Structure formats: C-alpha cells, structure tokens
Amino acid sequence: MNEERYIKFDQYLANEMSAEEKTVFEKQLSEDPELATSLEVFKELHLHLENKFGKESEFNAYKKNIESISKKHFKTKKSKVIDFSAWHYAVAASVAILVGLFVFQNINPTFEDYDNPEMATFVERGDVNENLKLAQDAFNAKEYKKAIPIFETVLKTNKSPEIQYFYSIALLKDNQLQKAEINFSDLRYGNSIYKNKATWYLALSKLKQKDFRSCKDILLTIPDDFEDYDQVQELLNELD
C-alpha cells in the first residue's frame, strides 16, 4: 500500500491543498481511473471511521492502537518510521486492512495481469519511412505518449490496420481510453487479421476500467480459433 497516496487523499478531502496542488491532483484523477477508484474507496472508509468513532475518547483510543501497528509496519529501508500524524497512520493502516480483506474476498483480474503487447515491427532494415520507424521505436520503448503523435502523422497517409492497431494500444496505455476504444472498434468490425486482436484489447480496456460485465460480453464474441484464445478463456474463467 502507498501511504503517501492516502496522505494526499486526506489533504484533498480536507481541502488542505493549495490551488495549484489541487489542480495537479484533479488532473491525475481524470487521467488515472485506478487512482480515482482508490479515492472513492478512501472516502467510503473515511465516512465509516467517522460514523464508527463518534465519541472523541473512542477515536483517540483507536488512533493510539493503530499508531502502534503503523510504527511496526510502515518503515523505510533504513528502519526510520515515516513521519506523519496519528490520523494518517490510522487511515493508511485501516485502508490496508480494508483493501486486504476486500481482495481476499473479491478477487478480480486486473488489466496488468493480461497486458502483454507484442513488439511493433513495421519497418524492416533499409526501409526509408522515417516517421514509422520513430513510432515503432517509441512504442517498443514503452514511450507511448511520444509514439502517439507520430502514429497520427503516419496514419494520415497510411491507415493500415497494423499501424492503427499499435496506435490504439498506445492510446490505451496512455489512458486515452475513449479514443483507444473507437479505434479498436473500427478494427473489430473490419476484416483484417487484427480483427480479433483488437477485440481482445477492447475487452482489456473495459477490464482496465473495472467494467467487468462489458469485458466479459466482448470476450464472448472472440472465436476459439484466435491465436491467444487460451488467455481469453482464462480471463473469462476469472470473471465468472
């Protein structure tokens, strides 16, 4: 668990951030669905703690107990206790416990479990398409934000399914989910060899957003002759 994240959550909800810090944090929330989901879980826990410990004496006793636990577990590699308030210890430890219990009781697959994009190989040695080579190299280096505008330049004159497919993955990796899904859907309803691959990644986009129902519905449309159908079946089994 990342205790620094919970400190930010607490500061944000308590309106303790500066205007600039708040703007930066809200931009992060809009670009990172996982962070936004974590904030919602934190808010629910925050409300739960306030409701549970209505009396100040009870809450202080709870903080003292959690602080002792936190001092034992939240340490740096040099064994120095991280310096933040007892309330932050309480929140960090409580969220860790809550999320830990939730994970054990409700194990769901994650996008990262299945995100294994293949390497882009559009450009052979001696090919003079400089922009396509730049897009390929940026994609393979996982520099997706850099690759996207180069892909867009290439696609203006060469909208091949292969280039569109890797462009769509770059968009997904950069959390430009709506644009990614539009491109995956375009390929999904086409007749290229990337039809099923695009459908698979469209399902993974829904998985990334924790839209498990839509993910499953899309997976069920992938035929069993798809080269990575074993992964499709594995994910379907986890979603059941």
Side-chain angles (χ1 to χ4, degrees):
M1 303 300 295
N2 187 342
E3 58 269 15
E4 292 182 4
R5 173 182 286 191
Y6 300 126
I7 294 175
K8 284 188 177 181
F9 287 171
D10 190 38
Q11 291 173 337
Y12 178 71
L13 295 175
N15 201 26
E16 294 176 354
M17 288 183 170
S18 66
E20 183 179 356
E21 289 173 332
K22 186 175 181 180
T23 299
V24 171
F25 185 66
E26 289 180 341
K27 185 174 185 295
Q28 291 174 339
L29 289 173
S30 67
E31 295 176 347
D32 188 342
E34 183 181 353
L35 181 66
T37 299
S38 296
L39 176 60
E40 290 303 313
V41 172
F42 181 91
K43 285 167 67 176
E44 291 180 11
L45 176 65
H46 193 126
L47 181 61
H48 170 74
L49 290 176
E50 286 184 345
N51 291 335
K52 182 174 181 179
F53 298 102
K55 295 181 180 179
E56 184 177 356
S57 59
E58 291 180 357
F59 185 61
N60 288 336
Y62 176 75
K63 286 198 296 182
K64 186 175 181 179
N65 182 43
I66 293 298
E67 185 177 5
S68 66
I69 296 172
S70 301
K71 287 179 179 178
K72 181 178 180 181
H73 294 285
F74 293 141
K75 297 181 180 181
T76 65
K77 291 181 179 179
K78 295 182 179 179
S79 297
K80 294 181 180 179
V81 177
I82 298 171
D83 183 22
F84 53 100
S85 72
W87 165 245
H88 292 133
Y89 278 123
V91 171
S94 299
V95 171
I97 294 167
L98 179 69
V99 174
L101 290 172
F102 179 83
V103 167
F104 279 112
Q105 295 174 7
N106 301 276
I107 299 175
N108 284 314
T110 67
F111 171 74
E112 289 73 22
D113 293 336
Y114 292 91
D115 175 37
N116 298 298
E118 58 197 291
M119 300 287 280
T121 55
F122 334 104
V123 181
E124 301 294 337
R125 185 173 297 176
D127 197 309
V128 295
N129 191 326
E130 183 178 351
N131 278 332
L132 194 53
K133 179 68 164 59
L134 289 172
Q136 172 184 290
D137 291 348
F139 182 92
N140 290 339
K142 300 182 179 181
E143 297 175 345
Y144 303 110
K145 191 176 292 292
K146 177 181 176 181
I148 288 169
I150 307 175
F151 273 128
E152 290 172 345
T153 298
V154 173
L155 285 166
K156 288 178 181 177
T157 56
N158 183 9
K159 195 175 181 180
S160 77
E162 180 183 22
I163 297 171
Q164 188 179 4
Y165 170 69
F166 284 97
Y167 167 60
S168 305
I169 294 176
L171 289 170
L172 177 60
K173 300 283 280 185
D174 194 46
N175 287 318
Q176 297 188 44
L177 303 179
Q178 185 175 11
K179 287 177 69 175
E181 291 188 359
I182 289 172
N183 280 274
F184 284 132
S185 294
D186 187 28
L187 291 167
R188 180 189 185 191
Y189 294 111
N191 295 308
S192 74
I193 61 172
Y194 290 92
K195 174 184 176 73
N196 292 329
K197 289 184 177 183
T199 305
W200 166 246
Y201 261 96
L202 181 61
L204 292 188
S205 177
K206 299 302 184 184
L207 181 62
K208 188 172 189 177
Q209 298 169 72
K210 295 180 171 51
D211 184 353
F212 303 116
R213 176 65 178 273
S214 295
C215 178
K216 183 176 181 179
D217 289 345
I218 294 169
L219 290 172
L220 290 171
T221 69
I222 299 177
D224 58 12
D225 60 354
F226 174 50
E227 61 189 87
D228 291 323
Y229 192 74
D230 56 335
Q231 285 206 327
V232 174
Q233 195 61 55
E234 180 182 328
L235 181 50
L236 280 169
N237 290 338
E238 288 199 57
L239 289 170
D240 283 340

